[in-house]
Amino acid sequence: MGKIENWYFEDLQETPSTNDSVLELLSKCNAPCIVCAAVQTKGRGRLGRKWEGADGNLYVSFAYQIPILKIGHYVLLSGLAVLETIKTFAPVARVEVKWPNDVFLEGKKVSGILFEKGPDDYWVMGIGINVARTPQVENPMYQITSLADLNVQTDRLKVLNVLVKHFDFLKMQYEKHGFAFLRALWLDNAYNRGKSVVIKQNGKETEGILTDLDENANLVLSTNEGEKHILVGDLFEGRNE
Ligand code: BT5
């Protein structure tokens, strides 16, 4: 077992899902830890969806303690850490956070994040970043890209080291300045802010202008029926541009 900054760390050859492997490491070290893998065979997304891999991409999971009432804040924080990481490697590209915590590069999905509950106060934050290849995905929900598509030459472990630094820094800033700091940074970098969006959830659609985030990190939409606060769902571009 190695270390990255203050995190215990393991890099595996292959695993079904790093979100499961990090729980095994946590049971051994009983402290915040990170597991990544060169190959992930059964990567998962939200709601039972699949996360597709390709050679050279990053699959990584962090296990750390989060107070239950702050989960929404950490969901945003994780997306911002990935956003800053992608910006480090692609400084002139358009990089945005798409609610709740996808990261888009030039309008296409480059990263997805999955939070799952661990033991006690621990949560698992699983992050996939398309580094070296754009994987084949059947009927993707959004267009997909990778750092390699922008001719960025790097490797998954370099990306991971930068990601850990950004995550640690943002977490420290959040602990010092509170949610207002995250909210401002998130809104400055939000995909489709001020534009029409559709949130799909369980076959239900809500359309409105993406205006804000509330204190609990819910999305605030301005709709024909007034302001709506959205807790979960998938965000798509709206029809009334
Ligand atoms: C996510 O789910 O975007 C969360 C993905 C989290 C993956 C990481 S990898 C490390 C850790 N271990 C795991 O097992 N998981 C985490 P969701 O918002 O539900 O989006 C899933 C959808 O994104 C799929 O249905 C596809 O349409 C699309 N997709 C699948 N693979 C993709 C990829 N590599 N790049 C971009 N989009 C992808």
Side-chain angles (χ1 to χ4, degrees):
M1 186 185 331
K3 278 207 132 180
I4 300 184
E5 307 291 332
N6 285 324
W7 302 78
Y8 288 103
F9 170 64
E10 223 166 44
D11 182 21
L12 306 172
Q13 289 277 323
E14 181 177 317
T15 182
S17 165
T18 56
N19 267 28
D20 298 330
S21 304
V22 80
L23 291 176
E24 288 166 32
L25 181 59
L26 177 64
S27 70
K28 285 186 227 155
C29 67
N30 212 3
C33 54
I34 297 175
V35 169
C36 75
V39 176
Q40 180 173 256
T41 53
K42 276 198 169 162
R44 52 185 184 260
R46 294 178 298 145
L47 305 169
R49 295 190 286 235
K50 285 207 299 197
W51 185 256
E52 302 290 349
D55 276 0
N57 287 351
L58 177 65
Y59 323 101
V60 62
S61 299
F62 296 61
Y64 59 100
Q65 288 135 309
I66 303 179
I68 185 84
L69 294 175
K70 305 285 185 208
I71 297 303
H73 295 182
Y74 277 90
V75 166
L76 296 183
L77 199 156
S78 63
L80 288 169
V82 174
L83 173 112
E84 296 295 349
T85 303
I86 300 291
K87 280 186 174 177
T88 303
F89 288 94
V92 293
R94 178 163 59 99
V95 189
E96 294 154 312
V97 274
K98 188 180 73 61
W99 185 86
N101 60 0
D102 283 345
V103 176
F104 271 40
L105 172 60
E106 297 292 356
K108 300 174 184 175
K109 183 161 168 169
V110 69
S111 170
I113 306 177
L114 175 69
F115 272 81
E116 293 178 324
K117 180 79 186 74
D120 305 322
D121 287 348
Y122 275 91
W123 285 76
V124 173
M125 173 180 86
I127 300 179
I129 300 181
N130 300 329
V131 175
R133 284 205 202 165
T134 301
Q136 291 291 324
V137 176
E138 239 177 78
N139 303 319
M141 294 168 67
Y142 309 96
Q143 284 186 290
I144 297 174
T145 192
S146 57
L147 282 171
D149 275 356
L150 294 198
N151 290 323
V152 175
Q153 305 288 328
T154 182
D155 67 64
R156 64 189 183 90
L157 293 179
K158 284 193 187 128
V159 174
L160 174 60
N161 275 284
V162 171
L163 174 64
V164 174
K165 285 201 173 70
H166 282 302
F167 178 80
D168 285 349
F169 178 75
L170 287 171
K171 184 165 182 286
M172 199 178 69
Q173 295 293 307
Y174 165 61
E175 282 162 359
K176 210 159 137 193
H177 304 294
F179 180 59
F181 158 80
L182 285 185
R183 179 187 183 181
L185 188 60
W186 195 91
L187 286 169
D188 273 353
N189 289 283
Y191 173 87
N192 267 26
R193 183 185 180 190
K195 294 189 186 160
S196 169
V197 296
V198 176
I199 308 296
K200 297 188 184 172
Q201 187 215 348
N202 289 335
K204 192 179 136 216
E205 294 194 1
T206 312
E207 178 153 14
I209 308 292
L210 191 166
T211 53
D212 204 353
L213 290 170
D214 70 17
E215 283 296 307
N216 298 316
N218 298 322
L219 194 68
V220 181
L221 295 189
S222 158
T223 77
N224 292 339
E225 294 140 32
E227 198 172 83
K228 289 203 174 159
H229 293 232
I230 314 276
L231 185 60
V232 285
D234 291 304
L235 185 151
F236 296 87
E237 265 179 25
R239 289 170 283 260
N240 308 323
E241 281 298 308

